[in-house]
Amino acid sequence: MAQTSLDLPFFSEAHRRLVPAFRDWTRRELGPYEDSEGGDGADAKLIFQKLGQDGWLRHSVDAAGNATGRAPDLRMVCLMREALAYSSAMADVAFSEPWLAILPLALCGSIEQRLHYVPRYCSGSQLLAFALSEPEAGSDVAAIAATVTATHTGFVVDGTKTWTSNSGLADGYVVFGRMPAQPGKAAITAVLVDGSRPEVILERRLRVLSPHTVGTLAFRACPATDHEPVIGGIGGGFQIAMRALEVFRPTVAAACVGFARRAFDEALARCKERRAFGRSIAEHQIIQAKLADMATRINAASMLTYLAAWGSDTGSQEAGANASVAKLFASEAAGAVVDEAVQIFGGMGVVTGTVVERLYRHVRAFRIFDGTSEIQKLIIAKHLLNT
Ligand SMILES: Cc1cc2nc3c(=O)[nH]c(=O)nc-3n(C[C@H](O)[C@H](O)[C@H](O)COP(=O)(O)OP(=O)(O)OC[C@H]3O[C@@H](n4cnc5c(N)ncnc54)[C@H](O)[C@@H]3O)c2cc1C
């Protein structure tokens, strides 16, 4: 049984060397944020900057190859997210949400765009946010209503985006809107907007169970950036969004593995020390069965996660479907594992601020964003039926 994900056969020497160093850095530098609930997002921005300054963000995109548009080393990003999530959901959010936003540029941007944005992301000096979802269009991305209009002075964005991570904090937004203002996927275009523009209005910060700094943003006749605002060409937005979300999925699964491993470790320690009916609760067979089920789920989730990441890194035809399988299984498995950990803690498991209580809240949203579990099943079935 693999005790850690690095025991799996998917990794190179570089992964095996870097990841323990990253784990040590995480423990040392991010320890104070372990139980952070996100607050106004200032901590998330600080962590993002710290990750950049200490050179970790460049392992999450092809920093050297930013002129070639090579896909990032997904196994590395997954390992980093697993390590971050193990210690702090907030640290994972601080790392992952800006990474999702740089993906459209790293994967589909022009050479000039990559050379401009990727190094700024790598140094932690520019935090971008991914603004796709709208109040009336979440799972159904093709139904978004925001518009992008070409004027004689440039491109202008109108519309409302919601669930945008780092709302009001980001230095820039990757906004998806319709151009021309026609229905259907083919009209969706991705543009860059400067976060400091007065036409970007933070309408509402959404308080959620996890430390996500999400909010609702209004773009009111908001000019896009002056220089090269369109990513991947007019009408390329839907494909870009789908590609970014697909690449993101195994990393969401990896964070879930991190949460589940932490919940398991907490539960294992607790059941050895807590006594009931004259012996430790670990000696009761029903508790042992729980531990076995939890470990089995974690191992399966880890295998599926790194199979998907390895497939993506090596150009597998199955990479898209495997990404959905991993995200679906790992997010559901983490929910179940954390739930059992709470049960093993008994009353202490629901006391606000304990590690398992925190994990119980923090893991829930992972079954919803980046495509809900239901949407992952539709993607998997589409692949199986070849439709
Ligand atoms: C913490 C958090 C962070 C997020 N971060 C971002 C972000 O940074 N940027 C961004 O753009 N968005 C972000 N999102 C939005 C997220 O992607 C959406 O919440 C998600 O896609 C679901 O959309 P919805 O909430 O509108 O639910 P709906 O689409 O309204 O779905 C409601 C329910 O119906 C089900 N459903 C919908 N269609 C079908 C179908 N065809 N068959 C079966 N069931 C179906 C869903 O599975 C779900 O259970 C975030 C969300 C959360 C919670």
Side-chain angles (χ1 to χ4, degrees):
M1 208 165 72
Q3 293 300 310
T4 75
S5 295
L6 267 184
D7 294 336
L8 297 174
F10 300 111
F11 305 109
S12 70
E13 265 318 299
H15 299 124
R16 294 186 198 286
R17 197 178 54 251
L18 267 169
V19 172
F22 182 63
R23 278 195 205 126
D24 289 348
W25 181 89
T26 300
R27 272 186 218 120
R28 196 174 59 247
E29 299 293 328
L30 305 185
Y33 301 99
E34 175 159 324
D35 53 5
S36 170
E37 295 291 344
D40 61 2
D43 282 355
K45 197 161 182 174
L46 243 154
I47 291 176
F48 170 74
Q49 289 164 346
K50 222 171 165 47
L51 282 159
Q53 283 155 9
D54 286 7
W56 293 110
L57 293 179
R58 71 189 167 81
H59 297 293
S60 70
V61 286
D62 184 12
N66 60 29
T68 67
R70 270 208 317 263
D73 176 349
L74 207 51
R75 284 165 292 174
M76 185 63 202
V77 180
C78 286
L79 288 163
M80 290 170 83
R81 284 199 71 176
E82 185 183 329
L84 290 167
Y86 185 91
S87 56
S88 156
M90 218 276 290
D92 172 61
V93 167
F95 170 71
S96 59
E97 296 298 348
W99 187 69
L100 170 62
I102 197 69
L103 279 180
L105 286 152
L107 297 170
C108 310
S110 67
I111 291 177
E112 286 73 20
Q113 285 173 330
R114 290 198 295 267
L115 288 174
H116 181 83
Y117 289 100
V118 173
R120 285 169 172 75
Y121 161 83
C122 288
S123 64
S125 59
Q126 190 176 45
L127 191 162
L128 297 179
F130 187 85
L132 176 65
S133 304
E134 298 183 0
E136 299 305 323
S139 303
D140 187 3
V141 171
I144 63 168
T147 57
V148 178
T149 312
T151 70
H152 61 284
T153 52
F155 294 89
V156 171
V157 180
D158 274 286
T160 301
K161 294 290 173 183
T162 192
W163 296 116
T164 310
S165 295
N166 291 310
S167 279
L169 296 163
D171 302 303
Y173 295 92
V174 176
V175 187
F176 295 83
R178 302 196 160 279
M179 182 187 175
Q182 285 170 3
K185 299 171 185 173
I188 296 177
T189 299
V191 292
L192 287 151
V193 170
D194 186 337
S196 64
R197 294 237 37 133
E199 299 89 347
V200 182
I201 301 150
L202 176 62
E203 285 196 332
R204 190 179 161 209
R205 210 176 273 294
L206 299 160
R207 301 270 171 234
V208 293
L209 291 174
S210 52
H212 283 84
T213 50
V214 280
T216 303
L217 294 167
F219 294 84
R220 298 276 175 259
C222 178
T225 53
D226 291 340
H227 186 65
E228 278 221 66
V230 176
I231 308 171
I234 288 166
F238 185 81
Q239 296 304 332
I240 291 170
M242 293 303 114
R243 175 91 182 104
L245 292 171
E246 181 183 301
V247 170
F248 195 55
R249 250 160 230 152
T251 78
V252 176
C256 291
V257 173
F259 292 136
R261 283 197 194 282
R262 178 65 185 270
F264 179 82
D265 288 351
E266 296 288 327
L268 188 65
R270 172 74 177 173
C271 72
K272 285 179 188 164
E273 71 187 31
R274 179 70 179 170
R275 296 181 69 78
F277 299 97
R279 49 192 173 149
S280 77
I281 60 170
E283 291 173 71
H284 295 284
Q285 282 192 339
I286 290 184
I287 299 290
Q288 292 172 5
K290 286 185 194 300
L291 293 174
D293 284 343
M294 291 160 84
T296 304
R297 282 195 165 102
I298 293 168
N299 264 265
S302 172
M303 285 286 285
L304 290 172
T305 297
Y306 291 98
L307 174 70
W310 171 80
S312 176
D313 287 346
T314 55
S316 161
Q317 296 288 312
E318 307 287 309
N322 284 345
S324 288
V325 168
K327 200 265 178 181
L328 170 64
F329 187 85
S331 60
E332 297 283 343
V337 168
V338 171
D339 189 70
E340 283 292 39
V342 169
Q343 198 66 18
I344 286 173
F345 268 77
M348 284 308 290
V350 291
V351 172
T352 309
T354 58
V355 174
V356 290
E357 179 274 335
R358 193 158 37 83
L359 288 164
Y360 187 76
R361 281 183 293 105
H362 291 176
V363 78
R364 187 60 184 88
F366 285 66
R367 283 147 66 185
I368 295 171
F369 57 71
D370 194 17
T372 61
S373 290
E374 291 77 8
I375 295 299
Q376 302 313 321
K377 288 180 189 177
L378 294 181
I379 296 171
I380 296 162
K382 194 169 184 305
H383 176 80
L384 295 173
L385 298 168
N386 207 10
T387 52

